[in-house]
């Protein structure tokens, strides 16, 4: 089960979301040749990926940022970028461009630090934007709990696309990350569950002041839990919502 699209166009061009998508793709393509040389790949990850034991020893702090733009293969990149594409634009629309960029980076840094805190002696390199994107998802859940998201459910011999509210899809996703965190082996590699869990929580906490400025429960009541956007059925809703100044 994973999301494939939403029904929530943003009211403004999400320049930062587009820039982040482009930056991640550019970095992936720029270092594509490294993927074919195992020795060069491990050296590259050693320099630019998060290695918890290295950061715990007081080295490689820059990797908390550089790792956010590295991915371990095309499917890893595609999955993360799909989540950012679906959830980033509406959240950027409400938060404002520069504030959203800061939010994204802080969530990514926080997710990386939580990963290191929970697995301080791990020597397994960690890469990916998923901690920062998990923060966007946490903020999205707080602001737009009833937004419709299409998920693809794959059974053994057939599949089905089903629209579900964001609170259900994101709540299930967070539950799976939390469950995975509890039993994860720091030396086994694979999914960085603690980074996902931590990023999601950080994002929800950082989005709380924005929700309060928008009116809290009153914002949910006016928007019915959906992103306020130019779709005809929401025009009257959007016009009645006080906007947060943009930068």
């Amino acid at each position: 089960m994973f999301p494939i699209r939403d029904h929530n166009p943003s009211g403004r061009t999400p320049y930062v979301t587009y820039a982040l998508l482009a930056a991640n793709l550019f970095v992936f393509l720029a270092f594509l040749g490294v993927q074919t040389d195992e020795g060069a790949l491990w050296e590259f990850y050693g320099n630019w990926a998060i290695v918890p034991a290295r950061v715990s020893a007081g080295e490689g702090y820059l990797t908390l940022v550089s790792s956010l733009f590295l991915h371990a293969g095309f499917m890893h990149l595609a999955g993360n970028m799909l989540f950012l594409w679906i959830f980033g634009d509406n959240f950027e629309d409400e938060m404002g461009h520069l504030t959203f960029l800061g939010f994204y980076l802080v969530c990514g840094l926080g997710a990386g630090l939580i990963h290191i805190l929970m697995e301080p002696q791990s020597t397994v390199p960690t890469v990916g934007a998923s901690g920062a994107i998990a923060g966007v998802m946490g903020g999205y859940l707080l602001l737009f709990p009833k937004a419709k998201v299409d998920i693809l459910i794959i059974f053994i011999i057939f599949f089905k696309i089903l629209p579900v509210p964001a609170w259900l899809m994101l709540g299930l996703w967070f539950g799976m990350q939390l469950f995975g965190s509890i039993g994860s082996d720091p030396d086994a590699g694979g999914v960085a569950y603690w980074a996902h869990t931590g990023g999601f929580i950080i994002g929800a906490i950082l989005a709380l002041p924005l929700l309060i400025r928008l009116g809290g429960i009153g914002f949910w009541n006016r928007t019915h839990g959906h992103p306020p956007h130019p779709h005809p059925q929401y025009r009257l809703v959007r016009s009645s919502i006080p906007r947060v100044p943009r930068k």
Side-chain angles (χ1 to χ4, degrees), residues 103 107 110-111 114 131-139 141-142 173-174 177-178 181 193-208:
F103 172 91
C107 287
I114 289 176
I133 296 169
V136 174
M137 293 162 66
L141 175 61
L142 191 66
W173 183 89
F174 177 72
Q177 306 312 305
L178 183 60
S181 299
Y193 288 109
W194 280 116
H196 296 176
T197 303
F200 192 95
I201 293 173
I202 291 170
I205 292 173
L206 292 179
L208 186 58

